[in-house]
Amino acid sequence: MTYSFPEEVLEHVFSFLTSQNDRNAASLVCRTWYEMERWCRKRIFVGNCYAVNPRVLIRRFPEVKAVELKGKPHFADFNLVPEGWGGFVYPWIVEFARVYPWLEEIRLKRMVVTDECLEIVSKAFRNFKVLILSSCEGFSTDGLAAVAANCRNLRVLDLRECEVEELSGHWLSHFPDSFTSLESLNIACLSLEVSFSALERLVSRSPNLKTLRLNRTVPLEKISKLLQRAPQLADFGTGAYSAEIRPDVYSSLQEAFSGCKKLKSLSGFWDVVPAYLPAVFPVCSQLTYLNLSYATTQSPDLIKVISQCHNLQRLVVLDYIEDMGLDTVAVTCKDLRELVVFPSDPFVADANVLLTEEGLVSVSQGCSKLQSVLYFCRQMSNSALISISKNRPNLTCFRLCILEPRAPDYLTFEPLDVGFGSIVENCKELTRLSMSGLLTDRVFEYIGKHAKKLDMLSVAFAGDSDLGLHHVLSGCESLRKLEIRDCPFGDKALLANASKLLTMRSLWMSSCFVSFGACKLLGQKMPGLNVEVIDERENLNLLPENAPVEKVYIYRTVSGQRLDMPDFVRIMGKDKNGVYNLL
Amino acid sequence: MGPQGLGLEITELRLGLPGGSGEKKRVVSGGREADVCGGEGKKDMDMVVGWPPVCLYRQKKSMGEATRKMYVKVSMDGAPILRKVDLSCLKGYSELGMALENLFGCYGIGEAMKAESESCEYIAIYEDKDGDWMLVGDVPWLMFIETCKRLRIKRRSYSNGVGLHGINNY
């Protein structure tokens, strides 16, 4: 039986498919659907820039409006990926400039972006609207100046935690007077002062501005002026929240905040002078997102703010909040979905604050909608973890960092296997898990058995043997990202589960017991994988086959050999043509 | 906290003399547990790369001070050549005092900043953003480095009488 849908109908139906996974599934149905879908896919997401290359992308998808690329592995955030490893966006930008003149949006995470890239972006795409750079590096304020000067229709310039070479603060003044389309500006990561008058004028002529996150250098006394010019703001990040205590400054600040009826997100708060915190009280009950994680304010002052935030959905704080503050959260923030508690003094073993596992248990009890947790603390117990898992079976993301590696249950001195086991058993929708503390192979057995929806797992200083890794690789059906450091996992589990790696985005293993020989074998056996050995030692060729590598990063790819590797990165088991070699 | 007395010590790698125990400060050392004997207060960890997993961006931004350079001129009565000091490199008034002592030999100035003692021959004053001359040491350090435009070290005997009356006529 044949039938035919007119192409326009198919295209119209596909336009309702927004998720890339859905589009990927549709494209597998039949040749017609594949062809139809690829012509009308407008948004592309590439989770690993080395899994595919620009030419492959452009060949398949000719009409792209928005691209999102991710580069370095997640552990690059913690200094585990040496400088120069890769993630260069330049080749992509060059191809996009050539083929997608109507590209509107670029989102990059952990990539190296040069000024030249930014200049190309600013000139090649007439209708360019959105630039979001997350944890990127390699560019300077000159590149920003080019974007400001040339992107006439820019709506979003969002620099999230980027490493920018700051030559001057003058770049902001390059936005022309005729530029009025700005909706979102995030410069929180910049250290240099930008011209306040240029900033003020920019804000004044941007009626659609919804997000404004300032950097530390914008003084508190001047914030009122900005807020008065943009009372429609939904998301605001202050600069340094400190000033000499002056009633006039305080009252104009409070008045300015009162005027922001649509404000839902607040962040910034560097160098907080507590006396100025009450100025935000008028907006507290509106807030759904509050980030006080740069505020070195003590618990009582934090409590005064949080106790008014009845509608809070996401809270990011330092451990200064202490258990007492988290009790307040549990009582006040009944709509809380996400809790993040960072450590104020991470490199000191002794507790400087009264934050323990109890705070987290309290929030898990009081906040029935809690789904996502990132929690740094100094002690944990199996009983607390079990309570948390029973209180909150709806957890989807659970990341716990006990500061001391291999710390056992502080009450029983046992490993925390049972506690984390309870988490994966009860929280059936768990997609992301980061573990810490003393953990044996048993916890991996639990994970392999129960964590069927687990997408990403982060492990450090855990396990006893290869069995641990084997449990995870053989049991976790949905696993796509696995990152491991300092665990006694070696060759056996890796080689036995080689085909599993083709179903995953990537596997990172550093300071483990994976040998050169195994990496080579894996690379030879699996042409669909790049097995990157990242090792900065000299004279690697003199090391025996069974010597462990420093780091190995394994990812599936249709792109074959990388051509941009530094000398400390070797792709094992393949030569330049993808053929077996002896390395 | 720690697995004392459960025989788990056997599994710990230790630095230090065998058989020794007693009060030890624990340091977070990424799997190697070093005994640091005695000592009050906090000990810094042996740094394991990337642990705890706090991203570099956050570490830099949380350093309590702005990470940009903050060079200010420093002059001293009687010294013909001015110097410059980078306030962003200093963690507090004590370090500022030490830096000034190194530059000008005005010993005791660090102490003078902390307490209103008359013991030091010198006092340190600074010009703030409003153009007023203020005594160094009154406001929190972070606020100070944001408002300080220049520093001056004056001999105490040049100030009028007790305290610093008349300083703003400077």
Side-chain angles (χ1 to χ4, degrees), chain A residues 24 26 53-54 66 104 145 168 180 204 254 268 289 377 434 452 465 479 486 495-496 498 501 503-504 514-515:
Chain A
N24 290 345
N53 63 48
E104 294 179 358
S168 91
T180 58
S204 307
Q254 190 179 47
Y289 172 72
C377 61
S434 300
K452 294 306 180 184
S465 75
L479 194 67
D486 294 89
L495 293 173
L501 300 176
T503 68
M504 292 168 57
V514 179
S515 70

Side-chain angles (χ1 to χ4, degrees), chain B residues 1-156:
Chain B
M1 138 184 144
Q4 289 102 345
L6 282 183
L8 286 171
E9 298 94 300
I10 295 168
T11 61
E12 295 170 9
L13 295 174
R14 293 195 153 191
L15 303 177
L17 297 172
S21 56
E23 267 316 299
K24 295 202 166 76
K25 288 286 178 210
R26 295 276 298 257
V27 298
V28 185
S29 58
R32 258 180 33 244
E33 290 177 7
D35 296 330
V36 179
C37 295
E40 297 297 324
K42 302 166 191 180
K43 295 278 197 255
D44 282 345
M45 323 189 335
D46 291 341
M47 303 283 269
V48 176
V49 175
W51 193 267
V54 176
C55 66
L56 286 166
Y57 170 84
R58 171 161 289 279
Q59 285 180 42
K60 278 192 201 152
K61 290 296 183 190
S62 307
M63 263 175 0
E65 299 123 50
T67 48
R68 63 190 163 94
K69 297 285 171 208
M70 292 163 137
Y71 281 101
V72 294
K73 288 184 191 172
V74 190
S75 56
M76 183 161 108
D77 289 349
I81 309 277
L82 276 63
R83 304 296 301 268
K84 267 197 164 175
V85 73
D86 178 5
L87 297 179
S88 69
C89 288
L90 306 169
K91 292 201 174 64
Y93 288 114
S94 322
E95 286 196 12
L96 175 62
M98 285 192 316
L100 294 179
E101 285 171 8
N102 286 338
L103 288 175
F104 290 106
C106 45
Y107 298 108
I109 198 156
E111 289 304 307
M113 275 181 227
K114 281 193 287 188
E116 286 231 18
S117 67
E118 305 269 333
S119 57
C120 179
E121 195 193 338
Y122 302 99
I123 59 163
I125 59 174
Y126 70 99
E127 185 184 5
D128 72 3
K129 282 189 172 160
D130 296 326
D132 295 323
W133 285 91
M134 317 285 291
L135 181 67
V136 171
D138 284 341
V139 299
W141 173 254
L142 294 175
M143 199 185 293
F144 165 72
I145 63 174
E146 291 294 332
T147 62
C148 172
K149 276 170 47 186
R150 53 189 304 181
L151 279 161
R152 184 167 187 83
I153 302 168
K154 290 180 69 61
R155 287 186 191 283
R156 192 175 282 279

Side-chain angles (χ1 to χ4, degrees), chain A residues 33-149:
Chain A
W33 282 38
Y34 176 88
E35 284 299 315
M36 194 65 246
E37 193 283 318
R38 77 181 188 90
W39 275 96
C40 65
R41 190 183 300 201
K42 301 269 183 289
R43 313 190 73 90
I44 304 288
F45 170 74
V46 178
N48 172 8
C49 65
Y50 291 118
V52 73
N53 63 48
R55 270 185 305 119
V56 165
L57 182 72
I58 283 163
R59 202 166 54 213
R60 180 171 172 190
F61 299 112
E63 303 264 314
V64 170
K65 288 264 161 68
V67 179
E68 182 174 351
L69 296 174
K70 293 189 180 179
K72 300 182 204 174
H74 173 234
F75 275 176
D77 287 354
F78 315 127
N79 231 2
L80 290 179
V81 177
E83 179 100 20
W85 170 84
F88 309 109
V89 80
Y90 181 79
W92 296 86
I93 301 287
V94 163
E95 288 297 303
F96 294 160
R98 198 173 59 82
V99 174
Y100 300 143
W102 297 110
L103 189 67
E104 294 179 358
E105 302 180 14
I106 294 177
R107 292 170 173 78
L108 303 175
K109 188 164 186 179
R110 293 194 200 95
M111 295 201 80
V112 177
V113 183
T114 59
D115 284 345
E116 199 182 346
C117 296
L118 293 177
E119 263 167 72
I120 295 174
V121 166
S122 75
K123 295 189 177 141
F125 310 118
R126 293 291 170 79
N127 206 22
F128 195 70
K129 294 191 175 131
V130 173
L131 183 64
I132 300 180
L133 303 178
S134 212
S135 303
C136 292
E137 49 160 356
F139 60 101
S140 78
T141 41
D142 284 353
L144 295 178
V147 170

